[in-house]
Amino acid sequence: MKIIRAFIHFICIGMAVLMLGSCDENKGNQVEYLAVQLEEGDSWSIIDKDGKVVVEEEYPSDADVSAIIDDVYWVKSGDKYQLFSIDSPKKPLVGEEFDNVSSFNQNDLAPVSIHNQPIRIINKKGKTVATLPKSIKRCYCFSKDGFAIFTDKNEKYGVINTKGKIVVKPSYYYICPINEGLMIAAKKEDDKKALILNTSGKKVGEIDLQKYHPVTVSFVEGKIIVKDAKADHPKFYAMNSKGEKLFTIKKAKEIETNYMNGYLVIKDDNGKCGVVDDQGELVIRPKYTILFHLGKDFFIAQKEEKIGIINAKDECVIDFEHDDATQTQLGNHFIMQDGNEYVILDKEGKEYNTFHTCSGFNNLFVEYTEDAPTAKEEPQTYDPGMEDDMEGYGTYGLMAALPVGTTHYTGDMGGYPIEFTIVNHPDKGELYANYKNKNYGTTMKMIGESLPADDGAISFTGEENGTHWNFKLDGDANNISGTAYGSNNYQFKVKLKRM
């Protein structure tokens, strides 16, 4: 059913949005520490909320450092993760190296896994508090309520508590991120109603999917946002946990974010962004090209292609003279980007420090992996028809211009700095790319495919934390451009330049 499939695409967005928030709702997206490279190519250091270096060049430049939550963080070197703290930056908190980890984003617990071993739950000291049964194949990070969603071998969704005990049996086709003690779920793919459950699995309300399409999938401040499924022009409403409409969202053609601190970002018919309050009334008229929540009562805004910071009264806090900004505050300070440099500023514009790049990945889930049974290899037979399928491959467009071997590109995707490495070996039938978001350290391997029907463009597909991406790119050996399409209905322009 198309409604259900579209709805599921929002699940990963909901998880990612909830992970951005800190445990203190009055602080919003604030951190006390941040991993940075002070200069290009430096090893990773850690700075505090005032921009002072507290851990100096401790981790190799090719490592990745997670978001630092309550003084604890992961460092990924190669394919392995180790757990460190601000008090113990040189020695891991536990001797084990993990293959998969999730974030301690909402509380003191995180699911982790080692290949051929069942998923475990550990605390911030690295101590195991629960070992999950092997029938649990994937476990998501814990919500601030102390519950984690999991899937079993049949890809059915259920819920565990902080002790690893199953509190909602794996009998659901999907369960959306848990927040405020509530979750949205459905038993079957073709269900015409989504269930609103509490954390014991008891139904407290429902959503008629033939009347309303959920736009946000987690309850925030007691409500979710839904779209009228039958209206000719988009109409959006806030809905409570009983599935009852509360109020209409004014002037909205699209919903850009979930509620945070009583405010919701919307986009109007002209493609401009504004803000409504907790009753759906406009408090900032739509006039910005880009608008994102930033901490309590602040927003990253763009106008005339420059980025600044405004407050909920639409007063300018940081002037519109920057290239970009991170969606995380360092203490009470803002992190702005100009060219290849980041600068830390306070509300008065005072500069505290600069750095080249920052890291802060958040992993949404871990998986139980094991060696596959040894299978007898089938002999390969030659198919003359394969030559017909390859006709025209690589003779024009980007496919023809792309150098053989490994080529490194740098650029941006929707304003975020990225690295994109393409590996092309036509003689071996290899075409793939490695993507990295330089702001957040997220990575993704993408499989490439030539598109002869599109003048030799290349399609790269991959998955990042449950979101499926398709990059459609064209250009020449030195300059590549195109569009990135996400399964969450997002679209970003991509521009790459050969390094």
Side-chain angles (χ1 to χ4, degrees):
M1 189 175 183
K2 290 183 179 179
I3 294 174
I4 293 286
R5 290 195 185 99
F7 184 33
I8 294 173
H9 289 165
F10 288 100
I11 294 178
C12 296
I13 291 246
M15 288 189 170
V17 169
L18 291 177
M19 288 180 70
L20 288 174
S22 71
C23 295
D24 186 344
E25 293 180 358
N26 293 319
K27 291 183 178 180
N29 307 337
Q30 288 184 340
V31 296
E32 299 296 309
Y33 298 96
L34 186 68
V36 301
Q37 289 179 333
L38 296 172
E39 301 289 343
E40 185 175 5
D42 278 359
S43 295
W44 289 100
S45 300
I46 294 176
I47 58 176
D48 68 9
K49 61 184 179 180
D50 295 317
K52 296 178 181 178
V53 177
V54 295
V55 178
E56 186 171 3
E57 295 198 40
E58 184 60 36
Y59 311 108
S61 59
D62 60 353
D64 287 320
V65 184
S66 74
I68 303 170
I69 308 297
D70 292 341
D71 300 353
V72 173
Y73 54 96
W74 294 105
V75 175
K76 182 182 181 183
S77 295
D79 295 327
K80 301 291 184 180
Y81 295 85
Q82 288 185 298
L83 184 63
F84 293 86
S85 71
I86 294 297
D87 294 331
S88 181
K90 297 181 181 293
K91 182 180 179 181
L93 297 179
V94 60
E96 287 182 295
E97 294 182 329
F98 300 96
D99 294 311
N100 285 282
V101 301
S102 70
S103 303
F104 293 97
N105 61 300
Q106 300 286 4
N107 48 48
D108 292 337
L109 300 175
V112 299
S113 68
I114 295 174
H115 186 62
N116 283 328
Q117 296 182 21
I119 296 171
R120 285 184 282 159
I121 309 299
I122 66 170
N123 60 23
K124 287 185 176 177
K125 296 181 179 179
K127 182 180 178 181
T128 298
V129 298
T131 299
L132 305 183
K134 290 184 177 181
S135 59
I136 292 180
K137 299 301 182 182
R138 175 182 287 186
C139 185
Y140 290 85
C141 57
F142 278 88
S143 69
K144 64 183 179 182
D145 306 81
F147 296 92
I149 299 168
F150 72 88
T151 58
D152 66 5
K153 60 184 179 181
N154 299 314
E155 298 186 358
K156 291 291 187 179
Y157 285 73
V159 177
I160 60 170
N161 62 16
T162 55
K163 296 181 179 179
K165 181 181 178 182
I166 295 176
V167 293
V168 177
K169 293 181 180 180
S171 57
Y172 291 89
Y173 180 70
Y174 65 78
I175 295 178
C176 295
I178 303 166
N179 200 45
E180 299 180 355
L182 297 167
M183 58 188 132
I184 300 173
K187 285 280 189 180
K188 299 177 181 179
E189 180 180 6
D190 57 355
D191 279 356
K192 294 180 175 59
K193 293 185 179 180
L195 306 177
I196 303 172
L197 310 176
N198 62 23
T199 50
S200 64
K202 181 180 178 181
K203 175 185 167 182
V204 297
E206 63 183 25
I207 304 168
D208 188 335
L209 296 176
Q210 294 182 309
K211 292 182 178 179
Y212 305 108
H213 294 174
V215 177
T216 60
V217 295
S218 296
F219 281 89
V220 176
E221 301 171 8
K223 50 189 171 287
I224 61 167
I225 308 303
V226 298
K227 179 180 179 181
D228 190 320
K230 298 182 179 180
D232 294 331
H233 188 277
K235 289 185 179 180
F236 298 92
Y237 309 98
M239 181 174 284
N240 65 19
S241 61
K242 295 180 180 179
E244 301 168 337
K245 287 193 300 184
L246 297 174
F247 51 82
T248 301
I249 309 296
K250 303 290 179 63
K251 301 291 185 181
K253 183 180 180 181
E254 297 178 28
I255 303 297
E256 294 291 285
T257 67
N258 207 331
Y259 267 100
M260 182 181 290
N261 298 310
Y263 297 108
L264 178 76
V265 178
I266 59 101
K267 183 177 287 187
D268 71 1
D269 289 333
N270 298 314
K272 298 296 185 181
C273 297
V275 177
V276 300
D277 62 16
D278 59 2
Q279 294 301 312
E281 300 291 336
L282 274 175
V283 292
I284 298 178
R285 69 177 179 84
K287 61 181 180 179
Y288 296 103
T289 309
I290 291 175
L291 206 57
F292 291 111
H293 287 288
L294 178 65
K296 180 175 171 59
D297 297 345
F298 294 110
F299 301 88
I300 299 171
Q302 182 187 55
K303 64 179 181 180
E304 297 178 357
E305 298 186 356
K306 284 296 183 179
I307 296 291
I309 306 295
I310 62 172
N311 62 21
K313 296 179 180 180
D314 200 16
E315 299 168 334
C316 184
V317 178
I318 300 293
D319 289 336
F320 287 84
E321 58 185 22
H322 302 278
D323 295 333
D324 206 348
T326 68
Q327 283 185 260
T328 298
Q329 279 187 275
L330 186 58
N332 291 318
H333 302 144
F334 307 102
I335 304 173
M336 312 302 293
Q337 183 182 4
D338 296 300
N340 294 323
E341 184 177 73
Y342 292 84
V343 59
I344 302 169
L345 302 174
D346 65 14
K347 297 177 186 177
E348 285 70 45
K350 178 182 176 182
E351 182 178 314
Y352 284 79
N353 203 346
T354 61
F355 55 87
H356 175 70
T357 190
C358 58
S359 181
F361 67 83
N362 274 314
N363 290 346
L364 291 175
F365 60 82
V366 302
E367 293 182 330
Y368 166 50
T369 61
E370 58 184 338
D371 292 332
T374 304
K376 196 172 182 180
E377 189 171 337
E378 294 292 332
Q380 299 295 312
T381 57
Y382 172 69
D383 180 4
M386 291 176 63
E387 294 181 358
D388 295 333
D389 293 337
M390 295 295 289
E391 186 177 354
Y393 176 85
T395 58
Y396 46 89
L398 177 59
M399 194 63 237
L402 195 64
V404 174
T406 301
T407 312
H408 300 280
Y409 295 87
T410 184
D412 75 273
M413 184 179 86
Y416 289 92
I418 66 171
E419 294 175 354
F420 203 78
T421 302
I422 299 177
V423 179
N424 177 37
H425 290 291
D427 56 328
K428 300 179 182 178
E430 288 184 353
L431 178 60
Y432 63 89
N434 292 307
Y435 158 97
K436 181 177 180 179
N437 184 308
K438 294 170 68 175
N439 273 13
Y440 301 105
T442 53
T443 59
M444 171 172 51
K445 184 173 181 178
M446 309 188 76
I447 304 301
E449 179 185 8
S450 176
L451 301 173
D454 287 331
D455 296 326
I458 299 177
S459 170
F460 289 96
T461 57
E463 181 178 349
E464 178 192 10
N465 286 335
T467 299
H468 295 275
W469 288 97
N470 175 256
F471 286 31
K472 186 177 179 181
L473 304 177
D474 206 351
D476 55 35
N478 297 314
N479 296 281
I480 297 174
S481 62
T483 305
Y485 301 91
S487 61
N488 44 34
N489 291 334
Y490 278 0
Q491 293 185 22
F492 297 104
K493 294 297 181 183
V494 178
K495 293 183 180 180
L496 302 172
K497 186 175 182 179
R498 189 172 180 177
M499 296 174 64

